[in-house]
């Protein structure tokens, strides 16, 4: 029988059919000499045109009404055939068969033949024109049905057309191999090498097709170009308007926890709410909105879609005004299967290019797809999509008819239902590790503020991990650099509200939490491998005041036997607080002191702020003069360097790290300092960027003009304590680049240190963004010397482990305010096990290095730090695993036992790798702490059993535990002053803690500071 494309192999052929529907590849993979393929291909193309041409589709007509075409016929699923295109049409007879009993026109091209019992199911059930039936006989057969004159006219026209086609085909080579090559390329578009296409939307669009997997796709009659031509129709009321009594009934049925805010701006009222087509009803639950979206809020409607084996693209037309200026008229959703585990969902304006963060560098070429862990569902009758885990059919995110999809110039909103209320991540913030879902709004915009609850802090990381009660999990990243709010509500649901850009989402399918974390760093960049010495203990204070004080603190702590590797200096080492200088009076002899550190196997780190002084006389301060010459400073509205104020005595200019010459400038400046003071690492501070003003030193910022204001800190809007949003970078406005500024500085600093030292860079940055861990570590900023801040340091370290920044710690004993002996003792017992362990505090606070606080703190610090140094081979191996495989260093308990619900809420304990648990004492006056032990655990100090699958009370000598089943590499530090070179010279030991007579472990060992591990 004839073969027609587009039939699923799962449905058997019917005996009463005179055609078989098969894959297009059956036609195009045959030899060019096969004549039957050409005839069959022509027949099938005619069949598809006629067949698909009759499909009803429902669209808005020119008068704002709707035609009789049914949009429901356009539903599709990205990972399986959800809509059948195999229905037989009553008004179309393929290949000339007029009915089941009547023979069609002889010019149908084929004559069916009966199926024999011995025929294969794939055997063609047709034959060509019979040699026993000539043309005259065929004409005669048709005479009863048609007038002879009409038949003759048709014959003449057909002969003429055939002759013309034959001549053109012979001349153009259309009958040769070139013709079949083109047919094969059309059937296998993904196997054809194409020139790389730009990311941004182009006016010349590809074909938009509905696709039934592995079969030929058919063109949709409506494409994006035609959508753009129909813009005037969009301003007519094509959206649904329900009568008030219907709206009242619908709105009353929506539960409080399922209300999605329709009027998040200030000044919401019933009149404006109803004008948007939303519900207005006071809520019984605190925090729930009064104005909320009704079901099927049709801001957009499905238009068309196309698929490939690596994803799909869907287009949506705007239906109703959102209430925000400059709605996207045509929205595009790209679904890209980056790997079996990672799905990209990008929602953006199909007609206008918009800013997208160029950092971090994301994978552009999908990995081979072998076993997708997820599937995507799109329905044409709704707005949005679902992503479902294949293994258990759990819906990971559902945006279909959830809230309102708002896509406008300065306000983008997307809401999604989640499978669980256990959410982690979404930083930077000070809070418990697991988020509160009770109508909480988290602002994300890099901001210089001492950490407190409900404050947006130094970094922006719109990434969450969602943990289900079963232990399965998934992650989601929104790659967007604009100021935004993330709202959590008890549905459980999440809402993103960004003030610009595109909604570029990356879903990580897990399913284990550890796999989600590894998939995330595989996407945004694996963490940097630190030098071995960076894992030692660090000591610093803002304003030692002089080199003599710095040397005195360093010497006393070494003499007291405090394990110690890195001495730091804060801003006060500079001359007049100017970058790339040092005070040759107060810090006279600094280069010689650094040489002395190096001889003792120790290292030195200096602070570098991004802002350079703009107030020095011309010719006296090369960093500013050279920056002006290279034109690398951020500009104001008059194209002059933007001048503000930080620690510099008069004024400050900010390097623009997006400028092509900025990295060369940064290398030049750091090299000039390194020639005088041979530092080993860089502490890049104040890089939100921070400003002691809210805007310029002279003049003012342009109005920010945001229709929605995120819940950021600061009374002056987004410019609070930073530079104007209308300031200009080489690559765009500061509004685009604000959250990326620290990352661009880290990239330049990483390159400069590599060039200068020829060894592994070590960088600690206060401000961070997605992907910063590839270049720098982080500390939690200006925390307070309070018991609460010490306890909150654990959740923040765990969050940054999720963000791919394992080199993370807090200022031990606190930065702001005066610590106490008891607090500093407990904090040293905790901070000794931070991945990044540093004691640091303010110029207004008492000295808090261990020796300064007396023997009790000294003894506790020595014991805790010697245990850390004993574990350094284990720490170093964990950092190597983070660098090459995306594993975490510090991790929550549920990473190892996600199926155990007891571990899901614990953030007063943490793991170092899979086999070491830290359970610190965190309460004032306490002598013990209560800790939970999933599985069998032993005391590291004496090997005694602590607990098995239960809670237990611990004293200060039991806070470090070893898990049964682990083998820990150790090096016992020598007596006296200890640094990493001395510790690394000691014999390696293996500590085995068997479980069921089995144990396992890893060890990675190298030079410790070379660029190639």
């Amino acid at each position: 029988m004839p073969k027609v494309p587009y039939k699923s192999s799962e449905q058997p052929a019917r005996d009463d059919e005179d055609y078989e529907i098969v894959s297009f590849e059956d036609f195009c993979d045959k030899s060019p000499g096969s004549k039957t393929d050409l005839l069959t291909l022509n027949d099938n193309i005619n069949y598809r045109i006629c067949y698909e041409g009759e499909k009803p589709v429902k669209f808005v007509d020119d008068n704002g009404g709707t035609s009789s075409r049914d949009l429901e016929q356009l539903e599709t699923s990205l990972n399986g055939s959800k809509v059948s295109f195999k229905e037989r049409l009553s008004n179309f007879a393929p290949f000339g068969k007029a009915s089941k009993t009547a023979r069609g026109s002889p010019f149908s091209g084929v004559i069916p033949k009966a199926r024999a019992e011995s025929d294969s199911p794939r055997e063609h059930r047709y034959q060509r024109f019979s040699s026993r039936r000539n043309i005259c006989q065929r004409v005669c057969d048709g005479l009863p049905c048609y007038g002879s004159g009409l038949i003759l006219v048709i014959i003449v026209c057909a002969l003429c057309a055939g002759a013309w086609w034959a001549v053109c085909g012979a001349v153009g080579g259309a009958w040769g191999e070139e013709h079949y090559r083109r047919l094969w390329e059309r059937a296998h578009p993904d196997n054809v090498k194409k020139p790389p296409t730009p990311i941004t939307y182009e006016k010349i669009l590809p074909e938009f097709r509905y696709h039934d997997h592995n079969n030929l796709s058919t063109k949709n009659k409506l494409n994006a170009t035609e959508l753009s031509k129909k813009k005037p129709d969009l301003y007519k009321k094509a959206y649904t308007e329900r009568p008030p009594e219907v709206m009242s009934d619908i709105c009353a049925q929506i539960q409080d926890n399922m209300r999605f805010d329709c009027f998040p701006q200030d000044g919401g009222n019933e009149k404006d709410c109803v004008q948007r087509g939303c519900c207005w009803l006071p809520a019984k639950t605190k925090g729930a909105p009064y104005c909320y979206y009704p079901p099927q809020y049709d801001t957009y409607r499905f238009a068309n879609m196309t698929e490939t084996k690596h994803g799909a693209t869907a287009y949506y037309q705007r239906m109703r005004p959102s209430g925000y200026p400059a709605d996207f008229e045509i929205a595009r959703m790209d679904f890209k299967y980056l790997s079996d585990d990672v799905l990209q969902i990008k929602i953006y304006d199909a007609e206008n290019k918009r800013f997208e963060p160029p950092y971090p560098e994301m994978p552009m070429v999908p990995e081979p797809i072998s076993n997708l862990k997820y599937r995507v569902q799109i329905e044409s009758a709704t707005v949005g999509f679902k992503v479902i885990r294949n293994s258990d059919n759990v819906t990971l995110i559902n945006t279909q008819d959830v809230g309102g999809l708002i896509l406008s110039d300065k306000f983008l909103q997307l809401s999604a239902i989640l499978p669980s209320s256990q959410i982690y991540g979404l930083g930077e913030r000070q809070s418990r590790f697991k988020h509160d879902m009770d109508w909480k709004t988290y602002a994300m915009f890099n901001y210089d503020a001492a950490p407190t609850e409900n404050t947006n802090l130094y970094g922006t990381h719109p990434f969450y991990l969602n943990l289900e009660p079963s232990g399965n999990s998934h992650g989601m990243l929104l790659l967007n650099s604009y100021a935004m709010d993330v709202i959590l509500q008890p549905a459980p649901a999440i809402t993103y509200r960004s003030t610009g850009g595109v909604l570029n989402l990356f879903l990580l399918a897990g399913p284990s939490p550890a796999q989600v974390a590894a998939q995330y760093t595989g996407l945004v960049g694996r963490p940097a491998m630190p030098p071995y010495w960076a894992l030692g203990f660090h000591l610093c204070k803002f304003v030692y005041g002089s080199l003599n004080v710095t040397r005195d603190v360093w010497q006393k702590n070494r003499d007291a036997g405090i394990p110690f590797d890195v001495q730091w200096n804060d801003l006060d080492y500079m001359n007049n607080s100017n970058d790339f200088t040092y005070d040759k009076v107060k810090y006279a002899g600094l280069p010689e002191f650094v040489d002395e550190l190096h001889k003792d196997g120790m290292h030195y780190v200096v602070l570098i702020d991004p802002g350079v002084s703009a107030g020095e006389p011309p010719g006296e301060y090369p960093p500013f003069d050279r920056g002006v010459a290279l034109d690398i400073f951020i500009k104001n509205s008059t194209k002059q360097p933007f001048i503000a104020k930080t620690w510099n005595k008069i004024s400050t200019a900010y390097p623009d790290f997006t400028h092509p010459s900025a990295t060369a400038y940064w290398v030049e400046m750091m090299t000039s300092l390194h020639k005088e003071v041979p530092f080993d690492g860089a502490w890049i501070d104040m890089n939100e960027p921070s400003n002691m003003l809210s805007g310029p030193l002279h003049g003012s910022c342009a109005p920010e003009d945001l229709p929605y204001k995120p819940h950021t800190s600061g009374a002056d809007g987004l410019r609070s304590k930073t530079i104007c949003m209308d300031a200009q970078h080489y690559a765009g406005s500061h509004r685009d680049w604000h959250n990326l500024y620290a990352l661009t500085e880290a990239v330049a600093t990483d390159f400069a240190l590599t060039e200068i030292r020829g060894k592994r860079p070590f960088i600690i940055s206060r401000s961070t963004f997605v992907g910063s861990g590839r270049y720098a570590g982080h500390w939690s900023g200006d925390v307070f010397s309070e018991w609460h801040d010490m306890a909150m340091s654990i959740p923040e370290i765990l969050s940054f482990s999720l963000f791919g920044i394992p080199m993370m710690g807090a200022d031990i004993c606190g930065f702001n305010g005066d610590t106490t002996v008891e607090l500093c003792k407990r904090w040293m017992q905790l901070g000794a096990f931070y991945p990044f362990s540093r004691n640091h505090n303010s110029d207004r606070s008492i000295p808090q290095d261990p020796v300064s606080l007396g023997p009790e703190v000294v003894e506790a610090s020595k014991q805790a730090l010697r245990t850390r140094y004993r574990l350094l081979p284990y720490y170093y191996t964990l950092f190597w695993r983070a660098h090459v495989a995306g594993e975490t260093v510090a991790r929550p308990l549920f990473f190892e036992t996600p199926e155990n619900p007891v571990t899901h809420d614990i953030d007063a304990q943490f793991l170092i790798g899979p086999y070491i648990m830290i359970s610190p004492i965190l309460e004032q006056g306490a002598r013990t702490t209560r800790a939970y032990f999933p599985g069998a655990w032993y005391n590291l100090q004496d090997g005694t059993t602590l607990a098995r699958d239960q809670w237990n009370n611990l004293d200060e000598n039991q806070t470090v535990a070893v898990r049964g089943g682990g083998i820990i590499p150790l090096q016992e530090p020598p007596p006296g002053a200890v640094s990493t070179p001395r510790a690394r010279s000691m014999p390696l030991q293996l500590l085995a803690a068997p479980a069921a007579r089995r144990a396992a472990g890893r060890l990675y060992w190298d030079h410790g500071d070379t660029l190639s591990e």
Side-chain angles (χ1 to χ4, degrees):
M1 65 179 102
K3 297 187 178 183
V4 181
Y6 225 52
K7 182 169 183 177
S8 171
S9 61
E10 298 177 0
Q11 181 170 332
R14 290 167 46 181
D15 292 336
D16 61 342
E17 293 179 342
D18 67 339
Y19 58 90
E20 179 185 2
I21 306 177
V22 298
S23 170
F24 188 26
E25 285 82 345
D26 286 354
F27 300 107
C28 296
D29 288 343
K30 296 185 182 297
S31 64
S34 176
K35 297 180 180 180
T36 59
D37 287 341
L38 185 60
L39 175 62
T40 311
L41 176 61
N42 292 333
D43 290 337
N44 279 279
I45 291 174
N46 291 333
Y47 169 77
R48 297 306 303 279
I49 292 174
C50 183
Y51 176 79
E52 294 296 331
E54 293 294 323
K55 280 198 172 291
V57 184
K58 186 175 180 180
F59 289 106
V60 180
D61 59 25
D62 294 340
N63 297 321
T66 57
S67 68
S68 61
R69 294 181 294 172
D70 186 8
L71 190 61
E72 292 293 326
Q73 297 296 326
L74 300 180
E75 296 181 0
T76 185
S77 169
L78 303 189
N79 290 76
S81 176
K82 301 297 182 184
V83 179
S84 173
F85 292 102
K86 301 186 290 289
E87 300 176 2
R88 304 179 69 187
L89 299 181
S90 59
N91 59 348
F92 174 63
F95 312 112
K97 184 177 179 182
S99 68
K100 292 184 179 181
T101 59
R103 177 70 60 193
S105 166
F107 287 92
S108 61
V110 294
I111 300 175
K113 64 180 180 180
R115 182 189 296 273
E117 292 183 358
S118 61
D119 288 347
S120 168
R122 302 280 294 179
E123 182 69 24
H124 291 198
R125 205 152 54 87
Y126 69 93
Q127 62 187 29
R128 291 187 170 275
F129 297 119
S130 172
S131 58
R132 293 169 298 184
R133 292 168 57 85
N134 57 37
I135 294 178
C136 295
Q137 290 172 322
R138 296 172 183 272
V139 172
C140 293
D141 288 344
L143 288 179
C145 301
Y146 306 97
S148 59
L150 179 60
I151 292 296
L152 292 175
V153 171
I154 293 175
I155 291 173
V156 172
C157 292
L159 291 174
C160 294
W164 175 259
W165 176 64
V167 173
C168 293
V171 174
W175 292 350
E177 293 184 1
E178 179 67 12
H179 175 64
Y180 282 94
R181 182 186 64 80
R182 292 175 181 173
L183 289 176
W184 187 89
E185 289 179 353
R186 288 180 59 190
H188 304 80
D190 295 315
N191 295 331
V192 179
K193 292 185 178 180
K194 301 177 182 179
T197 56
I199 296 176
T200 55
Y201 171 81
E202 293 184 350
K203 292 297 182 182
I204 301 175
L205 295 174
E207 296 176 351
F208 305 122
R209 305 167 290 180
Y210 290 98
H211 188 68
D212 192 8
H213 280 285
N214 301 318
N215 291 329
L216 176 67
S217 300
T218 183
K219 294 181 183 178
N220 192 337
K221 292 185 177 182
L222 186 65
N223 61 32
T225 305
E226 292 172 343
L227 292 177
S228 62
K229 293 178 181 178
K230 295 186 177 183
K231 279 187 188 178
D233 296 340
L234 298 175
Y235 294 98
K236 300 179 181 180
K237 287 190 175 181
Y239 52 89
T240 304
E241 282 194 349
R242 303 181 177 100
E245 59 273 11
V246 174
M247 280 289 291
S248 178
D249 292 341
I250 293 175
C251 296
Q253 296 177 17
I254 300 176
Q255 299 178 355
D256 283 3
N257 67 337
M258 291 299 295
R259 293 186 175 191
F260 292 86
D261 198 344
C262 181
F263 207 102
Q265 304 107 307
D266 295 334
N269 58 75
E270 183 174 4
K271 178 182 176 182
D272 292 339
C273 176
V274 172
Q275 186 175 1
R276 290 187 178 182
C278 294
C279 302
W280 178 273
L281 187 66
K284 299 178 182 179
T285 304
K286 183 180 179 181
Y290 283 22
C291 180
Y292 53 98
Y293 292 103
Q296 298 180 343
Y297 189 77
D298 49 352
T299 50
Y300 287 87
R301 72 171 181 194
F302 180 87
N304 62 20
M305 179 177 167
T306 183
E307 291 184 72
T308 70
K309 68 179 181 181
H310 282 293
T313 295
Y315 282 84
Y316 290 81
Q317 277 185 308
R318 183 173 74 85
M319 293 287 283
R320 68 165 69 236
S322 66
Y324 300 89
D327 287 321
F328 298 177
E329 299 298 343
I330 302 173
R332 176 170 172 169
M333 289 190 189
D334 290 342
F335 299 86
K336 190 173 183 181
Y337 310 151
L338 297 181
S339 70
D340 287 335
D341 314 298
V342 181
L343 168 69
Q344 180 184 13
I345 307 162
K346 184 176 173 183
I347 307 172
Y348 58 106
D349 190 340
E351 300 179 295
N352 301 291
K353 182 178 178 180
R354 297 176 63 80
F355 180 79
E356 299 178 45
Y359 297 103
E361 298 176 359
M362 308 293 272
M364 300 300 296
V365 179
E367 296 179 7
I369 303 299
S370 59
N371 183 26
L372 280 177
K373 294 182 180 178
Y374 54 83
R375 64 183 185 272
V376 183
Q377 287 186 356
I378 294 177
E379 297 179 7
S380 61
T382 62
V383 177
F385 55 89
K386 287 182 181 179
V387 182
I388 301 169
R389 186 189 295 121
N390 286 332
S391 61
D392 55 11
N393 288 322
V394 170
T395 299
L396 302 180
I397 56 169
N398 178 12
T399 72
Q400 292 179 345
D401 286 334
V402 177
L405 176 64
I406 307 298
L407 302 172
S408 64
D409 182 36
K410 293 185 178 181
F411 183 75
L412 296 90
Q413 176 178 273
L414 177 71
S415 299
I417 301 293
L418 302 175
S420 166
S421 61
Q422 298 184 131
I423 300 287
Y424 310 86
L426 298 174
E428 182 176 3
R429 60 188 172 85
Q430 185 182 86
S431 70
R432 296 288 303 273
F433 184 42
K434 189 177 82 170
H435 275 283
D436 184 355
M437 299 290 289
D438 190 17
W439 304 102
K440 295 297 182 181
T441 297
Y442 298 99
M444 295 189 190
F445 188 70
N446 293 2
Y447 182 67
D448 177 3
T452 57
E453 275 75 359
N454 304 314
T455 301
N456 56 294
L457 297 177
Y458 312 105
T460 293
H461 297 274
F463 169 73
Y464 72 76
L465 182 145
N466 188 209
L467 178 64
E468 300 161 32
S470 65
N472 286 333
S473 62
H474 78 274
M476 177 77 84
L477 165 68
L478 171 60
L479 185 58
N480 182 294
S481 62
Y482 291 88
M484 71 176 75
D485 281 342
V486 177
I487 297 87
L488 301 179
Q489 65 187 72
I494 187 170
T495 296
Y496 296 100
R497 295 186 188 132
S498 175
T499 57
V502 305
L503 297 176
N504 196 5
L505 300 161
F506 295 85
L507 183 134
L508 315 173
S512 74
Q515 288 174 313
V516 171
Q519 290 157 10
Y520 180 71
T521 57
L523 186 69
V524 304
R526 300 292 194 206
M529 182 67 183
Y532 197 98
W533 56 263
L535 303 185
F537 179 59
H538 303 242
L539 192 58
C540 185
K541 180 177 174 60
F542 178 30
V543 185
Y544 281 124
S546 68
L547 178 60
N548 289 337
V549 175
T550 303
R551 180 189 294 274
D552 185 61
V553 171
W554 168 73
Q555 190 65 58
K556 286 181 177 178
N557 281 273
R558 280 179 56 79
D559 292 344
I562 303 294
F564 182 18
D565 257 271
V566 190
Q567 179 64 56
W568 295 46
N569 273 123
D570 205 320
L571 185 75
D572 53 297
Y573 83 92
M574 299 179 184
N575 181 39
N576 292 326
S577 302
N578 289 344
D579 273 348
F580 312 114
T581 66
Y582 78 94
D583 190 326
K584 296 183 180 179
V585 177
K586 295 179 181 178
Y587 280 84
L590 180 59
E592 292 76 17
F593 173 66
V594 175
D595 289 338
E596 185 178 351
L597 291 174
H598 290 163
K599 289 177 183 178
D600 285 339
M602 300 184 68
H603 293 80
Y604 183 66
V605 173
V606 295
L607 177 139
I608 302 174
D609 285 338
V612 301
S613 175
E616 309 302 318
E620 294 188 10
Y621 184 54
F624 181 73
D625 296 338
R626 186 71 174 133
V628 170
L630 293 173
D631 196 32
I632 54 87
F633 290 122
I634 296 174
K635 303 292 193 299
N636 60 21
S637 58
T638 64
K639 308 301 181 184
Q640 299 299 314
F642 184 94
I643 303 300
K645 177 73 170 67
T646 57
W647 294 107
N648 308 116
K649 302 301 182 183
I650 301 175
S651 59
T652 304
Y654 298 85
D656 171 13
F657 293 101
T658 72
H659 193 283
S661 300
T663 298
Y665 163 83
W666 204 242
V667 172
E668 182 181 336
M669 296 302 105
M670 290 185 67
T671 300
S672 67
L673 176 61
H674 192 268
K675 288 179 179 178
E676 292 190 283
V677 182
F679 57 89
D680 303 293
W683 173 17
I684 50 178
D685 194 11
M686 302 286 286
N687 52 353
E688 291 72 30
S690 181
N691 181 5
M692 294 179 180
L693 309 171
S694 292
L697 185 62
H698 305 290
S700 61
C701 301
E704 292 171 2
D705 192 26
L706 296 176
Y708 172 82
K709 296 180 180 179
H711 292 67
T712 55
S713 304
D716 297 316
L718 299 183
R719 71 176 186 272
S720 294
K721 297 176 68 175
T722 188
I723 65 180
C724 300
M725 295 299 105
D726 63 308
Q728 289 299 308
H729 295 250
Y730 180 87
S733 71
H734 189 68
R735 191 172 81 91
D736 302 332
W737 284 91
H738 175 84
N739 284 342
L740 293 161
Y741 187 79
L743 176 55
T744 61
E745 184 191 15
V747 172
T749 306
D750 176 84
F751 181 82
L753 280 175
T754 304
E755 288 289 303
I756 293 168
R757 297 183 67 244
K759 299 180 180 180
R760 278 182 224 164
F762 175 67
I763 303 168
I764 294 294
S765 175
R766 187 170 75 175
S767 183
T768 58
F769 186 69
V770 175
S772 288
R774 185 176 179 182
Y775 305 98
H778 176 62
W779 91 105
S780 59
D782 299 344
V783 296
F784 291 88
S785 296
E786 302 286 348
W787 289 88
H788 172 76
D789 287 51
M790 177 177 69
M792 289 299 100
S793 70
I794 299 176
E796 183 150 15
I797 288 170
L798 296 179
S799 292
F800 273 82
S801 288
L802 294 183
F803 302 151
I805 306 179
M807 181 57 77
M808 170 66 187
D811 283 343
I812 298 174
C813 302
F815 178 81
N816 283 312
D818 291 336
T819 190
T820 65
V821 169
E822 182 187 10
L823 174 61
C824 197
K825 172 186 174 180
R826 296 302 184 204
W827 210 325
M828 284 296 300
Q829 289 173 331
L830 164 63
F833 302 99
Y834 291 158
F836 169 53
S837 181
R838 182 185 71 165
N839 181 312
H840 173 57
N841 71 333
S842 169
D843 59 331
R844 301 177 183 177
S845 306
I846 62 172
Q848 64 183 31
D849 58 275
V851 170
S852 296
L853 290 176
E856 186 176 352
V857 176
V858 167
E859 290 306 312
S861 299
K862 285 173 60 177
Q863 181 176 339
L865 287 171
R866 288 183 67 85
T867 302
R868 176 192 180 87
Y869 275 66
R870 186 184 179 202
L871 288 167
L872 283 187
Y874 177 70
Y875 271 84
Y876 193 63
T877 301
L878 291 174
F879 271 99
W880 172 71
R881 291 295 299 168
H883 178 61
V884 299
E887 296 180 7
T888 53
V889 178
R891 61 187 69 168
L893 273 61
F894 68 73
F895 262 49
E896 296 301 320
T897 55
E899 72 285 351
N900 185 344
V902 178
T903 63
H904 294 179
D905 291 338
I906 294 176
D907 60 5
Q909 304 167 244
F910 63 98
L911 299 174
I912 297 295
Y915 301 130
I916 296 293
M917 182 192 295
I918 311 299
S919 305
I921 298 173
L922 300 174
E923 296 180 3
Q924 185 175 7
R927 295 293 179 263
T928 62
T929 186
R930 187 165 176 79
Y932 180 72
F933 294 90
W937 291 82
Y938 307 91
N939 188 356
L940 179 63
Q941 284 197 17
D942 56 21
T944 58
T945 299
L946 292 176
R948 180 189 296 268
D949 292 318
Q950 64 184 23
W951 293 87
N952 194 15
N953 292 323
L954 309 175
D955 62 34
E956 63 181 14
N957 296 315
Q958 298 173 313
T959 57
V960 183
V962 181
R963 182 183 181 185
I967 298 178
I968 313 296
L970 304 171
Q971 279 183 312
E972 192 70 39
V978 178
S979 61
T980 53
R982 294 194 65 198
R984 278 173 62 93
S985 68
M986 304 301 291
L988 276 167
Q989 304 171 352
L990 295 179
L991 173 65
R997 298 184 178 181
R998 295 180 63 87
R1002 281 194 178 98
L1003 172 65
Y1004 175 76
W1005 201 252
D1006 65 8
H1007 183 273
D1009 201 13
T1010 56
L1011 289 173
S1012 58
E1013 296 90 41

